[in-house]
């Protein structure tokens, strides 16, 4: 295990994006000093040449540690855990060999939670508003013209830069194909239904695990007493489901009460509230970019302020 003292971490991210939120919470949990560079997805900045050179997939987030570039939220979190875990730095995984049962559960839930097609769920609800019970969300998001407009601007930006930066043509071409396929999947009601049904199975597994925490385990998080990587993934997932109007389907009306209690517990976690405050603040600022982008900022705000709003309403 490497032991590092860090003063050079810089996170390229947007506080509203699902996977950026994973890394932001991890950095806060580990109490690491870091800088951020906000990439404005409302202006498709992730497809600018400077960022595509940093991350050829054009995805958020990306971590820079000195000269090292680490893409992908899972790889970033593993990098942080492998390189910044010592006596004074909180861990997100038990020390190897200290709790083999917890280690297995964490990795199992991590795999399950990362396997959820969250984009299909988020944007599928936008295409098919009858899936959600959040009327405020659906009024902004559930508009096919609005959604296809956002995606159309992304493709237009990619096509423009594909010509402008021929050395990045292959990367842009790959990204354009990925977006086109995603739109096809998000606008397919059968595929969205399948994604939502898949989530039912995941939620059953989570509820069963949380419900098993009796007697001396009542204060446990998902897999053990400590807050782990699995908890980061679950907390961000529950927030997203809440904000897009799916909480009643998955844990409302006394359905899956252990998940409901867990979500309340998350609302009190400092790292989660710092993350929520960051994207709430950015949502407000992004609304000032001009009337043409206000719908985008408004939708972003709704996707990003679940736990923060929940705590304010308590």
């Amino acid at each position: 295990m490497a032991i590092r003292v860090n003063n050079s971490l810089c996170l390229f991210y947007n506080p509203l994006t699902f996977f950026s939120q994973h890394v932001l919470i991890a950095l806060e949990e580990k109490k690491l000093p870091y800088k951020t560079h906000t990439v404005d997805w409302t202006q498709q900045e992730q497809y600018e040449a400077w960022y595509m050179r940093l991350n050829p997939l054009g995805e958020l987030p990306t971590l820079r540690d000195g000269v090292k570039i680490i893409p992908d939220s899972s790889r970033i979190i593993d990098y942080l855990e492998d390189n910044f875990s010592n006596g004074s730095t909180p861990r997100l995984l038990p020390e190897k060999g200290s709790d083999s049962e917890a280690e297995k559960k964490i990795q199992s839930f991590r795999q399950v939670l990362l396997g959820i097609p969250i984009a299909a769920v988020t944007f599928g609800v936008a295409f098919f508003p009858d899936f959600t019970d959040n009327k405020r969300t659906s009024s902004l998001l559930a508009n096919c013209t609005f959604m296809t407009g956002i995606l159309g601007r992304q493709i237009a930006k990619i096509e423009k830069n594909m010509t402008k930066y021929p050395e990045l043509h292959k990367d842009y071409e790959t990204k354009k194909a990925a977006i086109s396929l995603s739109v096809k999947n998000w606008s397919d009601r059968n595929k969205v239904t399948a994604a939502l049904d898949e989530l039912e199975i995941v939620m059953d597994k989570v509820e069963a695990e949380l419900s098993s925490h009796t007697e001396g385990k009542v204060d446990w998080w998902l897999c053990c007493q400590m807050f782990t990587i699995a908890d980061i993934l679950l907390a961000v997932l529950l927030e997203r489901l809440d904000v897009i109007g799916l909480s009643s389907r998955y844990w409302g009306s006394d359905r899956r009460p252990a998940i409901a209690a867990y979500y309340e517990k998350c609302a009190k976690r400092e790292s989660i509230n710092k993350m929520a405050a960051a994207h709430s603040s950015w949502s407000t600022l992004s609304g000032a970019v001009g009337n043409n982008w206000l719908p985008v900022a408004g939708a972003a705000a709704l996707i990003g302020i679940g736990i923060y709003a929940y705590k304010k309403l308590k």
Side-chain angles (χ1 to χ4, degrees):
M1 175 69 69
I3 297 177
R4 300 260 322 268
V5 175
N6 168 66
N7 58 6
S8 62
L9 294 178
C10 182
L11 181 66
F12 295 83
Y13 84 130
N14 187 289
L16 299 174
T17 63
F18 188 78
F19 295 105
S20 290
Q21 292 168 9
H22 290 172
V23 177
L24 197 59
I25 293 174
L27 285 164
E28 290 294 335
E29 284 290 332
K30 294 186 76 65
K31 311 295 184 185
L32 294 172
Y34 64 96
K35 298 177 182 178
T36 60
H37 182 114
T38 303
V39 179
D40 189 352
W41 67 269
T42 68
Q43 302 285 357
Q44 294 86 47
E45 191 179 3
Q46 70 271 34
Y47 304 135
E48 293 291 355
W50 73 265
Y51 189 77
M52 291 292 289
R53 292 190 179 101
L54 196 68
N55 185 329
L57 294 177
E59 296 177 348
L60 298 169
T62 300
L63 182 73
R64 184 177 66 200
D65 180 14
V67 297
K68 293 181 180 178
I69 302 297
I70 305 96
D72 183 78
S73 60
S74 288
R75 287 178 58 187
I76 292 170
I77 292 174
D78 284 339
Y79 179 83
L80 295 175
E81 188 69 0
D82 289 344
N83 289 277
F84 304 99
S85 292
N86 56 33
S88 62
T89 303
R91 301 180 59 87
L92 294 172
L93 291 171
E95 288 196 53
K96 288 186 178 180
S98 64
D99 191 339
S100 58
E101 183 179 354
E103 288 179 46
K104 289 178 182 177
K105 282 185 179 180
I106 292 165
Q107 295 305 331
S108 176
F109 273 110
R110 189 179 186 186
Q111 184 176 8
V112 168
L113 293 167
L114 285 173
I116 295 169
I118 193 61
V121 171
T122 301
F123 296 105
V125 166
F127 276 103
F128 303 105
D130 55 299
F131 282 127
T132 178
D133 59 9
N134 188 329
K135 302 305 180 185
R136 189 178 173 205
T137 302
S138 62
S139 68
L140 278 172
L141 285 179
N143 182 305
C144 288
T145 302
F146 168 62
M147 288 301 302
T148 53
I150 291 177
L151 298 166
R153 285 190 287 272
Q154 289 187 3
I155 290 176
K157 181 67 165 280
I158 288 171
E159 289 177 339
K160 177 182 177 181
N161 287 349
M162 196 183 296
T163 301
K164 190 174 180 180
Y165 304 101
E167 72 277 15
L168 298 173
H169 187 279
K170 185 176 180 180
D171 293 330
Y172 279 123
E173 194 173 55
T174 299
K175 191 63 187 179
K176 179 183 175 181
I179 292 174
S180 298
L181 179 60
S182 294
V183 174
K184 185 177 180 180
N185 290 335
W186 300 340
S187 58
D188 184 324
R189 189 178 184 87
N190 289 334
K191 290 184 177 180
V192 174
T193 299
L196 295 173
D197 290 344
E198 182 181 332
L199 252 178
E200 295 280 5
I201 298 171
V202 174
M203 292 294 104
D204 282 342
K205 290 180 179 178
V206 171
E207 179 70 14
E209 178 59 33
L210 292 173
S211 297
S212 74
H213 298 170
T214 58
E215 298 179 353
K217 300 180 180 180
V218 291
D219 293 329
W220 277 26
W221 288 90
L222 178 57
C223 300
C224 57
Q225 192 169 16
M226 67 184 293
F227 187 89
T228 72
I229 294 172
D231 293 292
I232 293 175
L233 305 186
L234 180 57
V236 174
L237 171 65
L238 294 180
E239 183 194 24
R240 175 60 59 90
L241 296 177
D242 188 16
V243 172
I244 63 176
L246 292 175
S247 58
S248 62
R249 170 170 178 164
Y250 292 109
W251 69 86
S253 301
D254 294 325
R255 189 182 187 200
R256 302 188 178 106
I259 289 179
Y262 178 92
Y263 189 48
E264 278 197 54
K265 187 178 179 180
C266 287
K268 301 172 185 176
R269 189 85 182 176
E270 183 181 2
S271 63
I272 295 172
N273 279 289
K274 283 187 177 180
M275 175 273 293
H279 57 53
S280 178
S281 175
W282 191 87
S283 299
T284 302
L285 291 172
S286 66
V289 298
N291 290 335
N292 290 337
W293 287 99
L294 278 172
V296 179
L302 286 174
I303 289 178
I305 60 175
I307 286 178
Y308 183 78
Y310 173 85
K311 187 176 182 184
K312 290 290 186 182
L313 291 170
K314 288 291 282 180

